Amino acid sequence: MTLTKATIIEKLQEELGSAGFTKSKSSEVVETLLTIMKDTMEKGEDILISGFGKFQVREKAQRKGRNPATGDAMMLAPRRVVTFKCSGRLRERINGGE
């Protein structure tokens, strides 16, 4: 099952509901966090979350490509992409160790 934004909001509210976190407050927190992350990456800056991993913005140069539908050669424009590298602790948890 894929973890969605709605599921994150729901789980946050469940975990912190006893502390007065309503569903709308949980939604506001998640939206604010995602906005901060998007704004940071838009500036080309990386995001490092200890114990979780690192989101990196990387530059890709212009390169030759091929249209898969027609097979025609074409030039792909330079662009920025986001990569994620998980932390060692997260990798251990994913692979069964805690």
Coordinates of all heavy atoms in Angstrom, one line a residue:
M1 N 0.8 -1.2 0.0 CA 0.0 0.0 0.0 C 0.9 1.2 0.0 O 1.9 1.3 0.7 CB -0.9 0.0 1.2 CG -1.8 1.2 1.3 SD -2.8 1.1 2.8 CE -2.3 2.5 3.6
T2 N 0.5 2.2 -0.8 CA 1.3 3.5 -0.9 C 0.8 4.4 0.2 O -0.4 4.6 0.5 CB 1.0 4.1 -2.2 OG1 1.4 3.2 -3.3 CG2 1.8 5.4 -2.4
L3 N 1.8 5.0 0.9 CA 1.5 6.0 1.9 C 1.2 7.4 1.2 O 2.0 7.9 0.5 CB 2.7 6.2 2.8 CG 2.5 7.1 4.0 CD1 1.5 6.6 5.0 CD2 3.8 7.3 4.7
T4 N 0.0 7.9 1.4 CA -0.4 9.1 0.8 C -0.4 10.3 1.8 O -0.3 10.1 3.0 CB -1.9 9.0 0.3 OG1 -2.8 8.8 1.4 CG2 -2.0 7.9 -0.7
K5 N -0.5 11.5 1.3 CA -0.6 12.7 2.2 C -1.7 12.6 3.1 O -1.6 12.9 4.3 CB -0.6 13.9 1.3 CG -0.6 15.2 2.1 CD -0.3 16.5 1.3 CE -1.2 16.7 0.2 NZ -1.1 18.0 -0.4
A6 N -2.9 12.1 2.6 CA -4.1 12.0 3.5 C -3.8 11.0 4.6 O -4.2 11.2 5.7 CB -5.3 11.5 2.6
T7 N -3.1 9.9 4.3 CA -2.8 8.9 5.3 C -1.8 9.5 6.4 O -2.0 9.2 7.6 CB -2.2 7.6 4.7 OG1 -3.1 7.2 3.7 CG2 -2.0 6.5 5.7
I8 N -0.9 10.3 5.9 CA 0.1 10.9 6.9 C -0.7 11.8 7.8 O -0.5 11.8 9.0 CB 1.2 11.6 6.1 CG1 2.1 10.7 5.3 CG2 2.0 12.5 7.0 CD1 3.0 11.3 4.4
I9 N -1.6 12.6 7.2 CA -2.4 13.5 8.1 C -3.2 12.8 9.1 O -3.3 13.1 10.3 CB -3.3 14.4 7.1 CG1 -2.4 15.4 6.3 CG2 -4.3 15.2 8.0 CD1 -3.2 16.1 5.2
E10 N -3.8 11.7 8.6 CA -4.7 10.9 9.5 C -3.8 10.3 10.6 O -4.2 10.3 11.8 CB -5.3 9.8 8.7 CG -6.3 8.9 9.4 CD -7.0 7.9 8.5 OE1 -7.6 8.4 7.5 OE2 -6.8 6.7 8.7
K11 N -2.7 9.7 10.3 CA -1.8 9.1 11.3 C -1.3 10.1 12.3 O -1.1 9.9 13.5 CB -0.7 8.3 10.7 CG -1.1 7.0 10.0 CD 0.0 6.2 9.5 CE -0.4 4.9 8.8 NZ -0.7 3.9 9.8
L12 N -0.9 11.3 11.8 CA -0.4 12.4 12.7 C -1.5 12.8 13.7 O -1.3 12.9 14.8 CB 0.0 13.6 11.8 CG 0.6 14.8 12.5 CD1 1.9 14.3 13.2 CD2 0.9 15.9 11.5
Q13 N -2.7 12.9 13.2 CA -3.9 13.2 14.1 C -4.1 12.1 15.1 O -4.4 12.4 16.3 CB -5.1 13.5 13.2 CG -6.2 14.2 14.0 CD -7.1 13.3 14.8 OE1 -7.4 12.2 14.3 NE2 -7.5 13.7 15.9
E14 N -4.0 10.9 14.7 CA -4.2 9.8 15.6 C -3.1 9.8 16.7 O -3.4 9.6 17.9 CB -4.1 8.4 14.9 CG -5.3 8.1 14.0 CD -5.1 6.9 13.2 OE1 -4.1 6.1 13.4 OE2 -6.0 6.6 12.3
E15 N -1.9 10.0 16.3 CA -0.8 10.0 17.3 C -0.8 11.2 18.2 O -0.5 11.1 19.4 CB 0.6 10.0 16.5 CG 0.9 8.7 15.8 CD 1.2 7.6 16.7 OE1 1.9 7.8 17.7 OE2 0.8 6.4 16.4
L16 N -1.2 12.4 17.7 CA -1.1 13.6 18.5 C -2.5 14.1 18.9 O -2.6 15.2 19.4 CB -0.3 14.7 17.8 CG 1.1 14.3 17.4 CD1 1.8 15.3 16.6 CD2 1.9 14.0 18.7
G17 N -3.6 13.4 18.6 CA -4.9 13.9 18.9 C -5.1 14.1 20.4 O -5.8 15.1 20.7
S18 N -4.5 13.3 21.2 CA -4.7 13.5 22.7 C -4.0 14.8 23.1 O -4.2 15.3 24.2 CB -4.1 12.3 23.4 OG -2.7 12.2 23.2
A19 N -3.0 15.3 22.3 CA -2.3 16.6 22.6 C -3.1 17.8 22.0 O -2.5 18.9 22.0 CB -0.9 16.5 22.1
G20 N -4.3 17.6 21.5 CA -5.1 18.6 21.0 C -4.9 18.9 19.5 O -5.4 19.9 19.0
F21 N -4.2 18.0 18.8 CA -4.1 18.1 17.4 C -5.3 17.6 16.7 O -5.7 16.5 16.7 CB -2.9 17.2 16.9 CG -1.7 18.0 16.5 CD1 -0.9 18.6 17.5 CD2 -1.3 18.2 15.2 CE1 0.2 19.3 17.3 CE2 -0.1 18.9 14.9 CZ 0.6 19.5 15.9
T22 N -6.0 18.6 16.0 CA -7.2 18.2 15.2 C -6.7 17.8 13.9 O -5.6 17.9 13.5 CB -8.1 19.5 15.1 OG1 -7.4 20.5 14.4 CG2 -8.6 20.0 16.4
K23 N -7.7 17.3 13.1 CA -7.3 16.9 11.7 C -6.9 18.1 10.9 O -6.0 18.0 10.1 CB -8.5 16.1 11.1 CG -8.1 15.4 9.8 CD -9.1 14.3 9.5 CE -8.6 13.5 8.3 NZ -9.4 12.3 8.1
S24 N -7.6 19.2 11.1 CA -7.2 20.4 10.3 C -5.8 20.9 10.7 O -5.1 21.4 9.8 CB -8.3 21.5 10.5 OG -8.3 21.9 11.8
K25 N -5.5 20.8 12.0 CA -4.2 21.3 12.4 C -3.1 20.3 11.9 O -2.0 20.7 11.4 CB -4.1 21.3 13.9 CG -2.8 21.9 14.5 CD -2.7 23.3 14.2 CE -1.5 23.9 14.9 NZ -1.3 25.3 14.5
S26 N -3.4 19.0 11.9 CA -2.5 18.0 11.3 C -2.3 18.3 9.8 O -1.1 18.2 9.3 CB -3.0 16.6 11.5 OG -3.1 16.3 12.9
S27 N -3.3 18.6 9.1 CA -3.2 18.9 7.7 C -2.4 20.2 7.5 O -1.5 20.2 6.6 CB -4.6 19.2 7.1 OG -4.6 19.5 5.8
E28 N -2.6 21.2 8.3 CA -1.8 22.4 8.2 C -0.3 22.1 8.4 O 0.5 22.7 7.7 CB -2.3 23.4 9.2 CG -1.6 24.8 9.2 CD -2.2 25.7 10.3 OE1 -3.3 25.5 10.7 OE2 -1.4 26.6 10.7
V29 N 0.0 21.3 9.4 CA 1.4 21.0 9.7 C 2.1 20.3 8.5 O 3.2 20.6 8.0 CB 1.5 20.1 10.9 CG1 2.9 19.5 11.1 CG2 1.2 20.9 12.2
V30 N 1.4 19.3 7.9 CA 1.9 18.5 6.8 C 2.1 19.4 5.6 O 3.1 19.4 4.9 CB 1.0 17.3 6.5 CG1 1.4 16.7 5.1 CG2 1.0 16.3 7.6
E31 N 1.1 20.3 5.3 CA 1.1 21.2 4.1 C 2.3 22.2 4.3 O 3.0 22.5 3.4 CB -0.2 21.9 4.0 CG -1.3 21.1 3.5 CD -1.2 20.6 2.1 OE1 -0.3 21.1 1.3 OE2 -1.9 19.6 1.7
T32 N 2.5 22.7 5.5 CA 3.6 23.6 5.8 C 4.9 22.9 5.6 O 5.8 23.5 5.0 CB 3.5 24.2 7.2 OG1 2.2 24.8 7.4 CG2 4.6 25.1 7.5
L33 N 5.1 21.7 6.1 CA 6.3 21.0 5.9 C 6.6 20.7 4.5 O 7.8 21.0 4.0 CB 6.3 19.6 6.7 CG 7.5 18.7 6.5 CD1 8.7 19.3 7.0 CD2 7.2 17.4 7.1
L34 N 5.6 20.3 3.7 CA 5.8 20.0 2.3 C 6.2 21.3 1.5 O 7.0 21.3 0.6 CB 4.6 19.3 1.7 CG 4.4 17.9 2.2 CD1 3.1 17.4 1.6 CD2 5.5 17.0 1.9
T35 N 5.6 22.4 1.9 CA 5.8 23.7 1.3 C 7.3 24.1 1.5 O 8.0 24.6 0.6 CB 4.9 24.8 1.8 OG1 3.5 24.4 1.4 CG2 5.2 26.2 1.2
I36 N 7.7 24.0 2.8 CA 9.1 24.3 3.1 C 10.1 23.4 2.3 O 11.1 23.9 1.7 CB 9.4 24.1 4.6 CG1 8.6 25.1 5.4 CG2 10.9 24.1 4.9 CD1 8.6 24.9 6.9
M37 N 9.8 22.1 2.2 CA 10.6 21.2 1.4 C 10.7 21.6 -0.1 O 11.7 21.7 -0.7 CB 10.2 19.8 1.6 CG 10.4 19.3 3.0 SD 9.8 17.6 3.3 CE 11.0 16.6 2.4
K38 N 9.5 21.9 -0.7 CA 9.4 22.3 -2.1 C 10.2 23.6 -2.3 O 10.9 23.7 -3.3 CB 8.0 22.4 -2.5 CG 7.3 21.1 -2.7 CD 5.9 21.3 -3.3 CE 4.8 21.4 -2.2 NZ 3.5 21.4 -2.7
D39 N 10.0 24.6 -1.5 CA 10.7 25.9 -1.6 C 12.2 25.7 -1.6 O 12.9 26.3 -2.3 CB 10.2 26.9 -0.6 CG 8.8 27.3 -0.8 OD1 8.2 27.1 -1.9 OD2 8.2 27.9 0.2
T40 N 12.6 24.9 -0.6 CA 14.1 24.6 -0.5 C 14.7 24.0 -1.7 O 15.7 24.4 -2.2 CB 14.3 23.7 0.8 OG1 13.8 24.4 1.9 CG2 15.8 23.4 1.0
M41 N 14.0 22.9 -2.2 CA 14.5 22.3 -3.4 C 14.4 23.1 -4.7 O 15.2 23.1 -5.6 CB 13.8 20.9 -3.6 CG 14.2 19.9 -2.6 SD 13.5 18.3 -2.9 CE 11.9 18.5 -2.3
E42 N 13.4 24.0 -4.7 CA 13.2 24.9 -5.9 C 14.4 25.9 -5.9 O 14.9 26.2 -7.0 CB 11.9 25.7 -5.7 CG 11.6 26.6 -6.9 CD 10.3 27.3 -6.7 OE1 9.5 27.0 -5.7 OE2 10.0 28.1 -7.6
K43 N 15.0 26.2 -4.8 CA 16.2 27.1 -4.7 C 17.5 26.3 -5.1 O 18.6 26.8 -5.1 CB 16.4 27.7 -3.4 CG 15.3 28.6 -3.0 CD 15.6 29.1 -1.5 CE 14.3 29.7 -0.9 NZ 14.5 29.9 0.5
G44 N 17.3 24.9 -5.3 CA 18.5 24.1 -5.6 C 19.2 23.6 -4.4 O 20.3 23.0 -4.5
E45 N 18.6 23.8 -3.2 CA 19.3 23.3 -1.9 C 18.9 21.9 -1.6 O 17.8 21.5 -1.9 CB 18.9 24.3 -0.8 CG 19.4 25.7 -1.0 CD 18.9 26.7 0.0 OE1 18.4 26.2 1.1 OE2 19.0 27.9 -0.2
D46 N 19.7 21.2 -0.9 CA 19.5 19.9 -0.5 C 18.7 19.9 0.9 O 18.8 20.8 1.6 CB 20.8 19.1 -0.3 CG 21.5 18.9 -1.6 OD1 20.9 19.1 -2.7 OD2 22.8 18.7 -1.5
I47 N 18.1 18.7 1.2 CA 17.4 18.6 2.4 C 17.9 17.3 3.1 O 17.9 16.2 2.5 CB 15.9 18.4 2.2 CG1 15.3 19.6 1.6 CG2 15.2 18.1 3.6 CD1 13.8 19.5 1.1
L48 N 18.5 17.5 4.3 CA 19.0 16.4 5.1 C 18.2 16.2 6.3 O 18.1 17.1 7.1 CB 20.5 16.7 5.5 CG 21.1 15.6 6.4 CD1 21.2 14.3 5.7 CD2 22.5 16.1 6.8
I49 N 17.6 15.0 6.5 CA 16.8 14.7 7.6 C 17.5 13.5 8.3 O 17.5 12.4 7.8 CB 15.3 14.3 7.3 CG1 14.7 15.4 6.5 CG2 14.6 13.9 8.5 CD1 13.4 15.1 5.9
S50 N 18.1 13.8 9.5 CA 18.9 12.8 10.2 C 18.1 11.6 10.5 O 16.9 11.7 10.9 CB 19.4 13.4 11.5 OG 20.3 14.5 11.3
G51 N 18.7 10.4 10.3 CA 18.0 9.2 10.5 C 17.0 8.8 9.4 O 16.5 7.7 9.5
F52 N 16.8 9.6 8.5 CA 15.9 9.3 7.4 C 16.6 9.3 6.0 O 16.6 8.3 5.3 CB 14.7 10.3 7.4 CG 13.7 10.0 6.3 CD1 12.8 9.0 6.5 CD2 13.6 10.8 5.2 CE1 11.8 8.7 5.6 CE2 12.6 10.5 4.2 CZ 11.7 9.4 4.4
G53 N 17.2 10.4 5.6 CA 17.9 10.5 4.4 C 18.1 11.9 3.9 O 17.9 12.8 4.5
K54 N 18.6 11.9 2.6 CA 18.9 13.2 2.0 C 18.3 13.3 0.6 O 18.4 12.4 -0.2 CB 20.5 13.3 1.9 CG 20.9 14.7 1.3 CD 22.4 14.7 1.3 CE 22.9 16.1 0.9 NZ 24.4 16.2 1.0
F55 N 17.6 14.4 0.4 CA 17.0 14.8 -0.9 C 18.0 15.7 -1.5 O 18.4 16.7 -0.9 CB 15.7 15.5 -0.8 CG 14.6 14.6 -0.2 CD1 14.3 14.5 1.2 CD2 13.8 13.8 -1.0 CE1 13.3 13.7 1.7 CE2 12.8 13.0 -0.5 CZ 12.6 13.0 0.8
Q56 N 18.5 15.4 -2.7 CA 19.5 16.2 -3.4 C 18.9 16.7 -4.8 O 18.3 15.9 -5.5 CB 20.7 15.4 -3.7 CG 21.8 15.5 -2.6 CD 23.0 14.8 -3.1 OE1 23.0 13.7 -3.5 NE2 24.1 15.6 -3.0
V57 N 19.1 18.0 -5.1 CA 18.8 18.5 -6.4 C 20.0 18.4 -7.2 O 21.1 18.9 -6.9 CB 18.3 20.0 -6.3 CG1 18.0 20.5 -7.6 CG2 17.1 20.1 -5.3
R58 N 19.9 17.8 -8.4 CA 21.0 17.6 -9.3 C 20.7 18.1 -10.6 O 19.6 18.1 -11.1 CB 21.3 16.1 -9.4 CG 21.8 15.5 -8.1 CD 22.7 14.3 -8.3 NE 23.3 14.0 -7.1 CZ 23.9 12.8 -6.9 NH1 23.9 11.9 -7.8 NH2 24.4 12.5 -5.7
E59 N 21.8 18.6 -11.3 CA 21.7 19.2 -12.6 C 21.9 18.1 -13.6 O 22.9 17.4 -13.5 CB 22.7 20.3 -12.8 CG 22.6 21.5 -11.8 CD 21.4 22.4 -12.1 OE1 21.0 22.5 -13.3 OE2 20.9 23.0 -11.1
K60 N 21.1 18.0 -14.6 CA 21.3 17.1 -15.7 C 21.6 17.9 -17.0 O 20.9 18.8 -17.3 CB 20.1 16.2 -16.0 CG 19.9 15.1 -14.9 CD 19.3 13.9 -15.5 CE 19.7 12.7 -14.8 NZ 19.3 11.5 -15.5
A61 N 22.7 17.6 -17.7 CA 23.1 18.3 -18.9 C 22.2 17.9 -20.1 O 21.5 16.9 -20.0 CB 24.5 18.0 -19.2
Q62 N 22.2 18.8 -21.1 CA 21.5 18.4 -22.3 C 22.1 17.1 -22.9 O 23.3 16.9 -22.8 CB 21.7 19.6 -23.3 CG 21.1 19.3 -24.7 CD 21.2 20.5 -25.6 OE1 21.3 21.6 -25.1 NE2 21.3 20.2 -26.9
R63 N 21.3 16.3 -23.4 CA 21.8 15.0 -24.0 C 21.0 14.5 -25.1 O 19.9 14.9 -25.3 CB 21.9 13.9 -22.9 CG 20.6 13.5 -22.3 CD 20.7 12.6 -21.2 NE 19.5 12.2 -20.6 CZ 18.7 11.2 -20.9 NH1 19.0 10.5 -21.9 NH2 17.5 11.0 -20.3
K64 N 21.6 13.6 -25.9 CA 20.8 13.0 -27.0 C 19.9 12.0 -26.4 O 20.2 11.3 -25.5 CB 21.8 12.3 -28.0 CG 22.7 13.2 -28.8 CD 23.5 12.4 -29.7 CE 24.5 13.3 -30.4 NZ 25.4 12.6 -31.3
G65 N 18.7 11.9 -27.0 CA 17.7 10.9 -26.7 C 17.0 10.4 -27.9 O 17.3 10.8 -29.0
R66 N 16.0 9.6 -27.7 CA 15.2 9.1 -28.8 C 13.8 9.1 -28.4 O 13.4 8.7 -27.3 CB 15.7 7.6 -29.0 CG 15.2 7.0 -30.3 CD 15.9 5.7 -30.6 NE 17.3 5.9 -30.8 CZ 17.9 6.4 -31.9 NH1 17.1 6.7 -33.0 NH2 19.2 6.5 -32.0
N67 N 12.9 9.5 -29.3 CA 11.5 9.4 -29.1 C 11.1 8.0 -29.2 O 11.2 7.3 -30.2 CB 10.8 10.2 -30.2 CG 9.3 10.3 -30.0 OD1 8.7 9.4 -29.5 ND2 8.7 11.3 -30.5
P68 N 10.5 7.4 -28.1 CA 10.2 6.0 -28.1 C 9.1 5.6 -29.0 O 9.0 4.5 -29.5 CB 9.8 5.7 -26.6 CG 9.5 7.0 -26.0 CD 10.3 8.1 -26.8
A69 N 8.2 6.6 -29.3 CA 7.1 6.3 -30.2 C 7.5 6.2 -31.7 O 7.1 5.3 -32.4 CB 6.0 7.3 -30.1
T70 N 8.4 7.1 -32.1 CA 8.8 7.2 -33.5 C 10.2 6.7 -33.8 O 10.6 6.4 -34.9 CB 8.7 8.6 -34.0 OG1 9.7 9.4 -33.3 CG2 7.3 9.2 -33.8
G71 N 11.0 6.6 -32.7 CA 12.4 6.2 -32.9 C 13.3 7.4 -33.4 O 14.5 7.2 -33.6
D72 N 12.8 8.6 -33.6 CA 13.6 9.7 -34.0 C 14.5 10.2 -33.0 O 14.1 10.3 -31.8 CB 12.6 10.9 -34.4 CG 11.8 10.5 -35.6 OD1 12.1 9.6 -36.4 OD2 10.8 11.2 -35.8
A73 N 15.7 10.6 -33.3 CA 16.7 11.2 -32.4 C 16.2 12.6 -32.1 O 15.6 13.3 -32.9 CB 18.1 11.2 -33.0
M74 N 16.5 13.0 -30.8 CA 16.2 14.3 -30.4 C 17.1 14.7 -29.3 O 17.8 13.9 -28.7 CB 14.7 14.4 -29.9 CG 14.4 13.4 -28.8 SD 12.7 13.2 -28.4 CE 12.3 14.7 -27.6
M75 N 17.2 16.0 -29.0 CA 18.0 16.5 -27.9 C 17.1 16.8 -26.7 O 16.1 17.4 -26.8 CB 18.7 17.8 -28.3 CG 19.8 17.6 -29.3 SD 21.1 16.5 -28.8 CE 21.9 17.4 -27.5
L76 N 17.5 16.2 -25.6 CA 16.7 16.5 -24.3 C 17.3 17.7 -23.6 O 18.6 17.8 -23.5 CB 16.8 15.2 -23.4 CG 16.2 14.0 -24.0 CD1 16.5 12.8 -23.1 CD2 14.7 14.1 -24.3
A77 N 16.5 18.6 -23.2 CA 16.9 19.8 -22.6 C 17.6 19.6 -21.2 O 17.3 18.6 -20.6 CB 15.7 20.8 -22.4
P78 N 18.5 20.5 -20.8 CA 19.0 20.4 -19.5 C 17.9 20.5 -18.4 O 16.9 21.2 -18.7 CB 20.0 21.5 -19.4 CG 19.8 22.4 -20.6 CD 19.0 21.6 -21.5
R79 N 18.1 19.9 -17.3 CA 17.0 20.0 -16.3 C 17.6 19.6 -14.9 O 18.7 19.2 -14.8 CB 15.9 19.0 -16.6 CG 16.3 17.5 -16.7 CD 15.4 16.7 -17.4 NE 16.0 15.3 -17.6 CZ 15.5 14.2 -17.1 NH1 14.4 14.2 -16.4 NH2 16.1 13.1 -17.3
R80 N 16.8 19.9 -13.9 CA 17.1 19.5 -12.6 C 16.2 18.3 -12.1 O 15.1 18.3 -12.5 CB 16.9 20.7 -11.6 CG 17.9 21.8 -11.9 CD 18.0 22.9 -10.9 NE 16.7 23.5 -10.6 CZ 16.6 24.4 -9.6 NH1 17.6 24.8 -8.9 NH2 15.4 25.0 -9.4
V81 N 16.8 17.4 -11.4 CA 16.1 16.3 -10.9 C 16.4 16.2 -9.4 O 17.4 16.6 -8.9 CB 16.5 14.9 -11.6 CG1 16.1 15.0 -13.1 CG2 18.0 14.6 -11.4
V82 N 15.5 15.5 -8.7 CA 15.6 15.3 -7.3 C 15.9 13.8 -7.1 O 15.3 12.9 -7.6 CB 14.3 15.6 -6.5 CG1 14.5 15.3 -5.0 CG2 14.0 17.1 -6.7
T83 N 17.0 13.5 -6.3 CA 17.3 12.2 -5.9 C 17.2 12.0 -4.4 O 17.3 13.0 -3.7 CB 18.8 11.8 -6.4 OG1 19.7 12.7 -5.7 CG2 18.9 11.9 -7.9
F84 N 17.0 10.8 -4.0 CA 17.0 10.5 -2.5 C 17.9 9.4 -2.2 O 18.0 8.4 -2.8 CB 15.5 10.1 -2.1 CG 15.4 9.7 -0.7 CD1 15.4 10.7 0.3 CD2 15.3 8.4 -0.3 CE1 15.3 10.4 1.6 CE2 15.2 8.1 1.0 CZ 15.2 9.0 2.0
K85 N 18.7 9.6 -1.1 CA 19.6 8.6 -0.6 C 19.2 8.4 0.9 O 19.3 9.3 1.7 CB 21.0 9.0 -0.7 CG 22.0 7.9 -0.2 CD 23.4 8.3 -0.5 CE 24.3 7.1 0.0 NZ 25.7 7.4 -0.1
C86 N 18.8 7.2 1.2 CA 18.4 6.9 2.6 C 19.6 6.8 3.5 O 20.7 6.5 3.1 CB 17.5 5.7 2.7 SG 18.3 4.1 2.4
S87 N 19.3 7.1 4.8 CA 20.4 7.0 5.8 C 20.7 5.5 6.1 O 19.9 4.6 5.8 CB 19.9 7.7 7.1 OG 19.0 6.9 7.7
G88 N 21.8 5.3 6.7 CA 22.2 4.0 7.1 C 21.2 3.3 8.0 O 20.9 2.2 7.9
R89 N 20.7 4.2 9.0 CA 19.7 3.6 10.0 C 18.4 3.2 9.3 O 17.9 2.2 9.6 CB 19.4 4.7 11.0 CG 20.5 4.8 12.1 CD 20.1 5.6 13.2 NE 20.0 7.0 12.9 CZ 19.7 8.0 13.7 NH1 19.4 7.7 14.9 NH2 19.7 9.2 13.3
L90 N 18.0 4.0 8.3 CA 16.7 3.7 7.6 C 17.0 2.4 6.8 O 16.1 1.5 6.7 CB 16.3 4.8 6.7 CG 15.0 4.6 5.9 CD1 13.8 4.2 6.7 CD2 14.7 5.8 5.0
R91 N 18.1 2.3 6.1 CA 18.5 1.1 5.3 C 18.4 -0.1 6.2 O 17.9 -1.2 5.8 CB 19.8 1.3 4.7 CG 20.1 0.2 3.7 CD 21.5 0.4 3.0 NE 21.7 1.7 2.4 CZ 22.5 2.7 2.9 NH1 23.3 2.4 3.9 NH2 22.6 3.8 2.3
E92 N 19.0 0.0 7.4 CA 19.0 -1.2 8.3 C 17.6 -1.6 8.7 O 17.2 -2.8 8.7 CB 19.8 -0.8 9.6 CG 21.3 -0.8 9.4 CD 22.0 -0.4 10.7 OE1 21.4 -0.5 11.8 OE2 23.1 0.0 10.6
R93 N 16.7 -0.6 9.0 CA 15.3 -0.9 9.3 C 14.6 -1.6 8.2 O 13.8 -2.5 8.4 CB 14.6 0.4 9.8 CG 15.0 0.8 11.1 CD 14.2 1.9 11.6 NE 12.8 1.4 11.9 CZ 11.9 2.1 12.5 NH1 12.1 3.4 12.9 NH2 10.7 1.6 12.7
I94 N 14.8 -1.1 7.0 CA 14.2 -1.6 5.8 C 14.6 -3.1 5.6 O 13.8 -3.9 5.2 CB 14.5 -0.8 4.5 CG1 13.8 0.6 4.6 CG2 14.1 -1.5 3.3 CD1 14.2 1.6 3.6
N95 N 15.8 -3.3 5.9 CA 16.4 -4.7 5.7 C 16.2 -5.6 6.8 O 16.8 -6.7 6.9 CB 17.9 -4.6 5.2 CG 18.0 -4.0 3.8 OD1 17.3 -4.5 2.9 ND2 18.9 -3.1 3.7
G96 N 15.4 -5.2 7.8 CA 15.0 -6.1 8.9 C 15.8 -6.0 10.2 O 15.4 -6.6 11.2
G97 N 16.8 -5.2 10.2 CA 17.5 -4.9 11.5 C 17.0 -3.7 12.2 O 16.5 -2.8 11.5
E98 N 17.0 -3.6 13.5 CA 16.5 -2.4 14.1 C 17.5 -2.1 15.1 O 18.0 -1.6 15.9 CB 15.2 -2.6 14.8 CG 14.1 -2.6 13.7 CD 12.7 -2.4 14.3 OE1 12.5 -1.6 15.2 OE2 11.8 -3.0 13.7

